[in-house]
Amino acid sequence: MAITGGHVGILYAHRYAANVKSMLLTGSSGLYENNTLGTFPKRHSRTYIQERVEYTFYDAKTATPALVDEVFAIVQDNRKCFRIVKTAKTAQRNYVTKELPEINMPVLLIWGADDNITPPAVAEEFEKMLPNVKLVYLKECGHAPMMEKPRNLIR
């Protein structure tokens, strides 16, 4: 089963709790997310990819030409693109609602208040299900706080 980022962290923390002191999740999958790449045939349109990358952020300027070029190159590679689609579908089929109440270590949720991919309502669901959690919203921030508001993550 292939899953990404916070989803992997959640499953690992659940299975190997003794190895995890605390966890930080930002815009994590596991409950619900919108597919950011859209349909497979449009992957050859740089304009479409740019729109999808911009959609990731509150401020579209965060989607620099270099970042759009990087994403565009990834989706042009058939193997990489297939793995991305497979990973996204696996994540959508393997939600973690049963595991969350059993994760007792401290969890910090840092969420973009303007996240279109895993909206704030998802953060609130995580907050309800995790027994030891703190939720922090970053204003004017989309799905990738570590890219859009990195200074807010360092305290």
Side-chain angles (χ1 to χ4, degrees):
M1 170 177 14
I3 29 203
T4 59
H7 208 131
V8 170
I10 292 165
L11 294 173
Y12 183 89
H14 180 259
R15 184 172 290 168
Y16 304 105
N19 296 338
V20 181
K21 183 177 178 183
S22 62
M23 189 168 34
L24 183 144
L25 300 172
T26 63
S28 180
S29 66
L31 300 177
Y32 163 83
E33 73 265 3
N34 293 324
N35 185 338
T36 60
L37 288 178
T39 59
F40 192 79
K42 292 183 183 180
R43 71 185 174 112
H44 295 293
S45 166
R46 190 182 186 292
T47 301
Y48 179 76
I49 296 302
Q50 179 173 343
E51 290 169 0
R52 301 318 303 161
V53 174
E54 288 174 352
Y55 181 77
T56 302
F57 303 104
Y58 172 81
D59 183 355
K61 288 182 270 179
T62 307
T64 63
L67 179 58
V68 173
D69 288 344
E70 182 180 342
V71 173
F72 188 68
I74 289 168
V75 299
Q76 297 313 297
D77 181 313
N78 286 337
R79 286 180 38 199
K80 289 179 182 176
C81 192
F82 177 74
R83 281 188 295 222
I84 291 168
V85 170
K86 184 178 177 185
T87 298
K89 286 183 179 187
T90 301
Q92 290 170 350
R93 284 192 303 265
N94 295 284
Y95 293 125
V96 294
T97 53
K98 289 184 246 169
E99 289 84 355
L100 292 176
E102 299 172 7
I103 294 176
N104 294 307
M105 75 276 303
V107 178
L108 176 59
L109 302 173
I110 299 179
W111 228 266
D114 302 285
D115 188 338
N116 294 313
I117 296 167
T118 48
V122 176
E124 292 162 14
E125 288 298 314
F126 271 110
E127 184 180 34
K128 287 177 191 173
M129 293 182 200
L130 288 161
N132 190 4
V133 64
K134 179 179 180 180
L135 172 59
V136 176
Y137 286 114
L138 298 182
K139 294 178 184 176
E140 298 179 347
C141 185
H143 183 64
M146 69 295 283
M147 295 174 76
E148 197 162 18
K149 300 279 186 174
R151 288 195 165 100
N152 293 64
L153 302 178
I154 302 170
R155 295 181 187 221

